[in-house]
């Protein structure tokens, strides 16, 4: 028999039932406690000691907890591990409570709804996404709760994974059960995003629209350029519903929706982002060592987040790219202006997140001061930016608002260095409000009176060390040593006897105490009121402030790219719509930075009609093939995001998509059937690449047996060459593939130069035209001291193997591929053989048949179809 539950545990279970999908952190005094399964999960994730309540009973309840002041640290760990946490606070003062202290959930913290500065990485955006699948499209919405930026989009299910890879949400909401639907399950397979399922009613068209209209206080969404029936509306509504459920606070900073249109951005799918280590490294998933970390010269957190966004969404419009490049060029060539701008930006606070805190009523006095300080920099910044020639810079300068009244209000109201919390007062400047000054004078005057009172009483009683003291229990008192207590006059009322001290009060003292304390309390209350209304007035300006924040972020990014260009010796790329890549003395941006100066060997990349669209790069392991082909992709991405590039000269044909695949062995530790993954991804490239794409293949085909691998690599290359016609760089150690250039018109062989001297091989890391030396492996074996006999035998075997597919003249025996135009139908990995009836159907001479005969033919075919089954 289990004992009846205590009222507190009853309340616990009640709250838990309302929050079944979150770990419940239940406040008990100075601790947060978790019970039952929650306790077990928390013990594992947080490393807490698992204990139990009711230890003696037959059904002890598992329990784990931590002190309240450690909340942020533990929350961060829970959320990083993909958990949700409901924080249940004591919402009344335990001293005042009658019976059980009231407890309510005040916030549900989830990976995608973080707003607290202590939980957020200042350099990273934290997005919450929502997918609302419909028949033909998916509605997609995503929100950055800490700033209020909110987008919606419609995407075909086939592109959903790419879009999610681009957004990289910290959490994604889906309708209950939709993950197993055929359309979505494929798109989301293997995704590491924490998914949150929400009930289907949360995705109803009507209620979603109503929720949005209510949030934005509008009659329609057309003002945001969102048409009715947009699939994103449901996603946005369901997202908002979730945020309201979890935040339990104002969402006043979410003031608009931005429709996102695909097509203006270079599409980079998830595998490519990973292979190229754009924002995190392949091996450890860290930002350090990624391209983003290397190019990040921003000086504000807002800029850092925007830079990540630009890198994830490079442009495709040459004019738009050049607008950015113009600014970068101008700032790169004017060091003084660039430094001045960056110095000013360094003093700017994260006004994007500050503004959101103001709008949601969570801003502290210090937040407002920081906002004011940032605004005070804007006139100087505008002065520095005025009269520049780059169009975009002028535009930004023009749109940057001084917000003088906001700044003045903050500056006149709040002291220079206010305390973090509002509770203790000391926020409002003297002279701001007469009533406040009066209360303060009174409080201060009371204190002066106390000092005089002490001197007077010391004299009257003849007790020189008589002192006025204060504590929370008695308020003000007079104190003297026990030895002198007998000198105390009769109007003293004894309050407390300590070991060596006696404490007294007098009616006069209490009367003054009242005044002082009341005045202090009134002053603090008034301060809070004044601060609250100031915060509200500032909140009204949040759209302008947010716009300013976005402009500051962009200026920071552009100045940072200019700084990068100078510091890392980058050049301005020339963008063109021709499908070419012509990079002179290009460097891999990350390796170039990591290696000691001058050690990285620059290489040219020349791809295009004239020099060959398909490049086969052969060479031994560790020669530099992977580095070289990645370098080509990274430089393209940098150029399209509007950055200068690590090269001496570069002409970049704008790509619509970039694909990069790393062969099985380079991506160890993923633990999947690597060859299947490799082929699935290759299938995607073959189906999705266009003539404007850039494809980087690294050792594709390595995951299977050699002949299999070579054959696949061979035909994949042919297909990319003949049918897709995209720019392709293929690094491989299969020398056989170099024969491909015999049949493919636009393919060229390149290899990595190697120097052998005195038993030593040096990789020169220089990419040169031509195929690599075939017998290289045997050569290395020779250098390594393998016996001559073995080497000779190996040469014979090699020759035999090679002769098999090469004729006497050294020409390949592999039959040429029959060219055909790429059909729009999807290639599946294992395509069924064509049906025999198809040929008959094809050969039918319809114009020689009467309608009746045609009908009979049709009947005959149908008959055969059923009998042959
Ligand atoms: P592969 O793909 O041919 O096996 P990698 O591209 O992985 O070779 O390069 C192997 C190593 O060689 C790299 O980690 C790097 O240290 C060095 N390396 C590659 N390319 C260069 C270069 N251009 N300049 C200097 N070092 C390079
Ligand atoms: Mg390699």
């Amino acid at each position: 028999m289990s004992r009846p539950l205590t009222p507190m545990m009853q309340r616990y279970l009640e709250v838990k039932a309302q929050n079944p999908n979150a770990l419940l952190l239940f406040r008990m005094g100075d601790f947060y406690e978790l019970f039952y399964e929650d306790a077990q999960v928390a013990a594992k994730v947080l490393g807490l000691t698992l204990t139990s309540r009711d230890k003696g009973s037959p059904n002890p309840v598992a329990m784990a907890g931590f002190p309240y002041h450690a909340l942020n640290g533990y929350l961060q760990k829970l959320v990083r591990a993909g958990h949700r946490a409901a924080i249940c606070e004591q919402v009344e003062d335990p001293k005042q409570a009658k019976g059980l202290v009231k407890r309510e959930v005040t916030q549900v913290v989830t990976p995608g709804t973080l707003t607290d500065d202590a939980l957020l990485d200042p350099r990273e955006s934290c997005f919450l996404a929502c997918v609302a699948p419909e028949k033909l499209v998916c509605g997609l919405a995503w929100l950055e709760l800490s700033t209020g930026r909110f987008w919606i989009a419609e995407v075909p299910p086939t592109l959903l994974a790419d879009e999610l890879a681009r957004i990289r949400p910290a959490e994604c909401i889906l309708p209950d059960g939709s993950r197993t639907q055929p359309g979505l399950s494929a798109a989301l397979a293997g995704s590491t995003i924490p998914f949150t399922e929400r009930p289907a009613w949360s995705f109803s068209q009507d209620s979603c629209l109503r929720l949005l209209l209510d949030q934005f206080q509008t009659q329609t969404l057309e003002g945001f350029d969102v048409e009715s029936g947009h699939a994103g509306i449901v996603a946005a509504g369901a997202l908002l519903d979730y945020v309201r459920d979890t935040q339990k606070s104002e969402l006043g900073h979410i003031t608009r929706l931005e429709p996102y249109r695909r097509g203006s951005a270079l599409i980079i799918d998830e595998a490519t982002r990973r292979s190229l280590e754009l924002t995190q490294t392949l091996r450890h998933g860290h930002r350090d060592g990624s391209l983003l970390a290397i190019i990040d010269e921003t000086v504000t957190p807002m800029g850092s987040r925007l830079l990540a966004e630009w890198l994830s969404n490079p442009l495709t419009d040459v004019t738009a790219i050049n607008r950015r490049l113009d600014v970068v060029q101008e700032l790169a060539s004017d060091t003084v202006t660039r430094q001045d701008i960056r110095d000013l930006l360094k003093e700017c606070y994260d006004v994007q997140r500050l503004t959101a805190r103001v709008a949601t009523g969570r801003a502290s006095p210090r937040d407002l001061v920081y906002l004011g300080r940032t605004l005070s920099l804007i006139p100087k910044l505008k002065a520095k930016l005025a009269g520049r020639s780059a169009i975009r810079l002028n535009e930004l300068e023009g749109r940057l608002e001084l917000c003088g009244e906001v700044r003045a209000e903050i500056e006149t109201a709040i002291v220079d260095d206010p305390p973090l919390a509002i509770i203790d007062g000391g926020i409002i400047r003297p002279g701001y409000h007469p009533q406040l000054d009066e209360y303060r004078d009174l409080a201060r005057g009371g204190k002066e009176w106390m000092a005089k009172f002490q001197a007077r009483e010391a004299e009257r009683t003849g007790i020189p060390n008589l002192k006025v003291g204060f504590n929370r229990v008695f308020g003000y008192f007079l104190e003297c040593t026990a030895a002198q207590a007998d000198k105390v006059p009769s109007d003293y009322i004894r309050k407390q006897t300590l070991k060596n001290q006696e404490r007294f009060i007098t009616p006069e003292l209490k009367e003054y105490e009242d005044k002082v304390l009341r005045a202090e309390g009134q002053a603090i209350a008034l301060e809070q009121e004044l601060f609250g209304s100031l915060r509200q007035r500032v909140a009204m300006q949040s759209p302008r402030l947010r716009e300013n924040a976005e402009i500051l972020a962009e200026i920071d990014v552009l100045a940072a790219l200019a700084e990068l260009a100078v510091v890392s010796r980058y050049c301005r790329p020339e963008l063109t719509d021709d499908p070419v890549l012509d990079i002179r003395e290009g460097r891999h941006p990350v390796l170039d930075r990591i290696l000691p100066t001058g050690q990285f060997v620059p290489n040219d990349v020349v791809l295009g009609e004239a020099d060959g669209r398909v490049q086969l790069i052969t060479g031994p392991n560790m020669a530099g093939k992977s580095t070289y082909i990645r370098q080509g992709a990274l430089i393209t991405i940098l150029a399209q995001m509007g950055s200068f590039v690590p090269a001496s000269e570069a002409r970049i044909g704008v790509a619509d998509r970039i694909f990069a695949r790393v062969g099985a062995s380079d991506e160890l530790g993923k633990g999947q059937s690597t060859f299947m993954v490799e082929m699935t991804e290759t299938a995607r490239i073959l189906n999705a690449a266009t003539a404007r794409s850039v494809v980087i293949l690294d050792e594709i085909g390595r995951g299977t047996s050699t002949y299999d691998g070579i054959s696949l690599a061979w035909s994949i290359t042919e297909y990319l060459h003949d049918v897709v016609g995209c720019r392709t760089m293929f690094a491989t150690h299969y020398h056989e593939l170099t024969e491909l250039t015999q049949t493919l018109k636009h393919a060229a062989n390149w290899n990595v130069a190697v120097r052998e001297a005195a038993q030593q091989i040096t990789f020169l890391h220089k990419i040169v035209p031509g195929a690599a030396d075939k017998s290289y492996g045997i050569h290395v074996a020779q250098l390594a001291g393998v016996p001559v006999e073995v080497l000779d035998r190996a040469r014979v075997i090699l020759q035999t193997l090679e002769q098999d597919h090469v004729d006497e003249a050294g020409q390949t025996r592999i039959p040429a591929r029959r060219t055909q135009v790429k059909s729009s139908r999807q290639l599946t990995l294992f395509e069924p053989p064509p049906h025999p009836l198809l040929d008959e159907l094809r050969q039918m001479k319809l114009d020689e048949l009467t309608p009746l005969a045609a009908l009979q033919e049709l009947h005959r075919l149908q008959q055969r179809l059923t009998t042959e089954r």
Side-chain angles (χ1 to χ4, degrees):
M1 264 300 290
S2 59
R3 271 182 261 171
L5 289 170
T6 61
M8 200 186 60
M9 283 314 281
Q10 272 172 23
R11 178 66 188 146
Y12 172 85
L13 291 176
E14 238 170 71
V15 178
K16 179 68 198 173
Q18 291 159 5
N19 296 276
N21 299 321
L23 297 172
L24 183 57
L25 308 182
F26 200 67
R27 180 72 179 260
M28 291 171 71
D30 284 344
F31 281 78
Y32 288 99
E33 301 288 358
L34 298 105
F35 299 103
Y36 301 100
E37 277 145 47
D38 285 5
Q40 275 154 1
V41 175
K44 207 177 294 158
V45 178
L46 303 177
L48 301 174
T49 321
L50 196 62
T51 62
S52 56
R53 208 176 150 78
D54 291 337
K55 278 205 184 77
S57 87
N59 305 313
V61 174
M63 171 170 139
F66 53 82
Y68 75 95
H69 53 77
L71 180 66
N72 278 340
Y74 284 116
L75 271 180
Q76 204 164 29
K77 274 195 195 166
L78 281 179
V79 165
R80 289 247 166 92
H83 292 284
R84 277 177 290 281
I87 305 171
C88 184
E89 294 288 0
Q90 301 177 167
V91 291
E92 62 181 343
D93 189 339
K95 276 193 222 112
Q96 252 116 65
K98 297 183 195 76
L100 189 67
V101 184
K102 234 170 129 183
R103 290 185 173 85
E104 301 280 354
V105 169
T106 53
Q107 197 188 357
V108 182
V109 179
T110 79
T113 57
L114 301 182
T115 52
D116 203 320
D117 259 2
L119 301 179
L120 283 166
D121 183 338
R123 292 177 313 178
E124 267 188 56
S125 303
C126 174
F127 292 118
L128 171 68
C130 177
V131 176
E134 287 185 7
K135 279 205 186 68
L136 299 173
V137 287
C138 280
L140 180 62
W142 62 104
L143 166 75
E144 186 180 37
L145 190 57
S146 63
T147 61
R149 294 184 308 156
F150 197 5
W151 291 267
I152 68 172
E154 283 178 322
V155 286
T158 46
L159 286 180
L160 183 62
D162 289 347
E163 290 300 335
L164 287 176
R166 184 180 60 75
I167 300 164
R168 286 213 300 147
E171 181 182 2
C172 182
I173 307 167
L174 292 168
D176 220 353
S178 62
R179 283 185 78 183
T180 48
Q181 277 173 15
L184 276 195
S185 65
L188 304 177
S191 172
T192 53
I193 303 167
F195 288 101
T196 301
E197 305 209 325
R198 298 277 290 168
W201 51 257
S202 173
F203 289 78
S204 104
Q205 187 98 43
D206 288 350
S207 66
C208 283
L209 181 61
R210 230 173 310 118
L211 212 59
L212 293 171
L213 296 179
D214 181 53
Q215 174 71 32
F216 303 127
Q217 297 289 308
T218 52
Q219 298 288 322
T220 93
L221 297 178
E222 272 156 36
F224 304 118
D225 204 12
V226 175
E227 278 159 33
S228 60
H230 190 292
I233 291 174
V234 174
L239 186 149
L240 201 58
D241 184 43
Y242 178 70
V243 174
R244 286 197 174 175
D245 260 14
T246 53
Q247 294 307 293
K248 305 180 195 297
S249 73
E250 299 252 341
L251 300 174
H253 65 309
I254 305 177
T255 54
R256 60 174 193 219
L257 264 182
E258 290 174 50
Y260 165 79
R261 297 189 207 299
R262 239 171 339 100
S264 55
L266 169 65
I267 303 178
I268 315 172
D269 57 60
E270 164 67 22
T272 302
R273 285 171 201 275
R274 236 189 13 247
S275 304
L276 293 178
E277 308 189 298
L278 293 188
T279 53
Q280 55 194 89
T281 57
L282 203 54
R283 224 155 271 259
H284 304 292
H286 293 164
R287 186 186 198 266
D288 281 350
S290 69
L291 177 63
L292 176 60
I294 291 291
I295 63 168
D296 189 355
E297 293 284 350
T298 59
V299 292
T300 72
M302 305 174 278
S304 190
R305 295 194 298 268
L306 184 64
L307 181 73
E309 228 170 277
W310 282 18
L311 181 58
S312 297
N313 301 275
L315 308 175
T316 49
D317 177 43
V318 174
T319 316
I321 299 170
N322 277 326
R323 286 250 166 103
R324 289 182 182 175
L325 287 172
D326 287 343
V327 181
V328 176
Q329 180 166 7
E330 185 165 358
L331 293 179
S333 62
D334 184 345
T335 303
V336 175
T337 304
R338 185 177 74 248
Q339 278 320 328
D340 287 350
I341 291 174
R342 284 164 58 79
D343 286 345
L344 284 170
L345 287 170
K346 269 181 209 157
E347 292 175 43
C348 290
Y349 291 87
D350 191 342
V351 273
Q352 218 166 23
R353 286 184 176 168
L354 275 180
T355 305
R357 283 208 291 280
V358 171
T360 51
R362 289 179 299 114
S364 70
R366 211 171 276 179
D367 283 342
L368 284 195
V369 169
Y370 289 165
L371 185 60
R373 280 190 206 160
T374 307
L375 289 177
S376 75
L377 298 168
I378 290 185
K380 293 180 217 162
L381 197 58
K382 277 177 90 78
K384 289 279 167 231
L385 294 172
R388 302 286 137 203
S389 49
I391 297 172
R392 185 62 186 159
L393 214 47
N394 275 318
E395 230 170 73
L396 291 172
E397 190 273 328
R399 275 171 41 210
L400 200 54
E401 286 198 56
L402 296 175
C403 299
E405 20 16 281
V406 181
R407 173 187 159 197
E409 276 222 63
I410 295 173
E411 282 176 355
T412 47
I414 302 189
V415 298
D416 288 336
D417 202 1
L420 203 63
I422 316 172
I423 313 160
D424 297 325
I427 306 164
I428 304 290
R429 242 182 234 286
Y432 179 69
H433 197 273
Q435 180 73 58
L436 177 64
D437 290 343
E438 215 176 294
Y439 289 143
R440 281 177 170 168
D441 281 349
L442 208 62
R444 202 173 307 118
K447 278 180 186 152
E448 272 162 30
W449 180 87
M450 279 312 159
K452 277 192 206 131
F453 173 73
Q454 175 176 313
R456 201 177 70 208
E457 288 299 298
E459 178 142 4
R460 174 162 83 99
T461 56
I463 309 173
N465 54 4
L466 187 76
K467 271 205 296 275
V468 175
F470 177 86
N471 75 22
R472 288 205 180 264
V473 186
F474 304 123
Y476 288 98
F477 52 77
L478 285 155
E479 185 182 77
C480 67
T481 56
Q484 298 191 299
D486 52 350
K487 290 192 195 163
V488 156
S490 59
D491 57 335
Y492 274 33
I493 305 160
R494 186 181 310 261
K495 250 322 202 201
Q496 196 183 18
T497 305
L498 302 175
K499 203 168 156 210
N500 295 316
Q501 256 96 34
E502 293 282 346
R503 288 177 176 175
F504 306 91
I505 56 171
T506 75
E508 195 188 4
L509 178 61
K510 280 295 128 178
E511 197 179 306
Y512 261 89
E513 175 187 298
D514 252 21
K515 263 194 202 161
V516 173
L517 290 185
R518 200 169 341 116
E520 270 177 2
Q522 280 166 326
I524 290 180
L526 183 55
E527 277 200 62
Q528 290 176 349
E529 195 186 307
L530 291 172
F531 175 71
S533 75
L534 170 66
R535 184 163 64 187
Q536 242 164 32
R537 285 197 304 281
V538 176
M540 307 274 282
Q541 302 299 322
S542 54
R544 287 163 74 204
L545 295 170
R546 213 171 92 176
E547 166 101 359
N548 263 1
E550 277 164 27
I551 296 168
L552 290 177
E554 185 167 341
I555 296 172
D556 187 18
V557 170
L558 290 166
L561 289 176
E563 178 78 9
L564 173 74
V566 173
V567 174
S568 301
R569 298 164 293 116
Y570 285 9
C571 77
R572 178 175 179 152
E574 180 199 334
L575 276 301
T576 156
D577 282 319
D578 305 335
V580 294
L581 269 187
D582 188 348
I583 301 167
R584 301 299 156 137
E585 295 180 282
R587 282 127 43 207
H588 186 292
V590 178
L591 262 183
D592 182 40
R593 183 66 84 84
I594 291 172
L595 290 178
T597 321
Q599 285 220 1
F600 190 87
V601 181
N603 273 305
D604 298 347
V605 177
V606 273
L607 269 183
E609 262 356 284
D611 310 283
R613 272 194 319 256
V614 175
Q615 243 187 29
L616 287 156
I617 300 109
T618 41
N621 270 336
M622 292 302 286
K625 302 184 295 298
S626 301
T627 308
Y628 172 71
I629 60 174
R630 277 180 178 73
Q631 174 179 316
L634 293 176
I635 288 177
T636 306
I637 289 174
L638 282 175
Q640 287 188 229
M641 76 176 270
S643 169
F644 279 25
V645 298
S648 63
E649 251 177 83
R651 203 163 147 257
I652 311 287
V654 169
D656 62 346
R657 303 187 64 141
I658 284 199
F659 296 93
R661 287 303 177 278
V662 181
S665 69
D666 276 19
E667 205 182 354
L668 293 172
K670 278 218 74 195
Q672 304 177 38
S673 157
T674 41
F675 183 62
M676 184 62 193
V677 173
E678 193 183 311
M679 283 301 114
T680 314
E681 291 178 347
T682 307
R684 267 189 79 187
I685 299 181
L686 299 181
N687 290 324
T690 76
R692 307 191 50 79
S693 306
V694 169
V695 174
I696 305 293
L697 297 173
D698 198 350
E699 304 282 11
I700 290 299
R702 219 191 214 184
T704 182
S705 75
T706 309
Y707 286 140
D708 244 14
I710 293 175
S711 318
L712 275 167
W714 187 289
S715 69
I716 287 167
T717 313
E718 278 182 347
Y719 189 82
L720 288 171
H721 178 276
D722 294 351
V723 182
V724 181
C726 57
R727 286 161 284 173
T728 307
M729 295 171 91
F730 192 165
T732 179
H733 68 286
Y734 292 139
H735 300 294
E736 290 80 354
L737 292 188
T738 57
E739 290 163 27
L740 263 168
T741 54
Q742 295 174 9
T743 49
L744 302 184
K745 227 169 85 199
H746 303 292
N749 278 319
W750 292 72
N751 75 98
V752 197
V754 171
R755 188 177 60 208
E756 308 150 27
Q759 309 282 308
Q760 283 265 322
I761 335 166
T762 321
F763 293 136
L764 300 176
H765 304 306
K766 197 82 197 163
I767 311 289
V768 293
D773 177 2
K774 286 187 230 177
S775 61
Y776 202 81
I778 296 177
H779 206 100
V780 173
Q782 183 183 359
L783 292 177
V786 172
V788 182
E789 252 180 271
V790 176
L791 296 173
D792 286 344
R793 174 74 182 139
R795 282 197 189 93
V796 173
I797 297 171
L798 178 68
Q799 226 169 22
T800 323
L801 289 176
E802 274 168 354
Q803 236 128 51
D804 232 348
H805 61 93
V806 183
D807 64 18
E808 302 71 40
Q811 289 294 304
T812 180
R813 284 185 208 272
I814 295 174
R817 180 181 177 285
R818 277 193 296 159
T819 312
Q820 63 183 130
V821 180
K822 186 181 185 180
S823 63
S824 58
R825 102 199 122 98
Q826 293 275 301
L827 270 187
T828 57
L829 197 47
F830 304 107
E831 214 174 332
H835 196 282
L837 285 190
L838 288 179
D839 271 344
E840 279 191 49
L841 205 54
R842 261 187 219 110
Q843 282 156 17
M844 227 181 259
K845 298 200 170 66
L846 289 181
D847 39 7
E848 293 171 13
L849 291 178
T850 64
L852 185 64
L855 203 59
Q856 281 166 341
E857 273 298 282
L858 212 52
H859 179 71
R860 189 182 59 80
L861 289 177
Q862 206 176 38
Q863 285 291 306
R864 277 196 49 202
L865 197 59
T866 38
T867 50
E868 280 185 10
R869 273 271 154 94

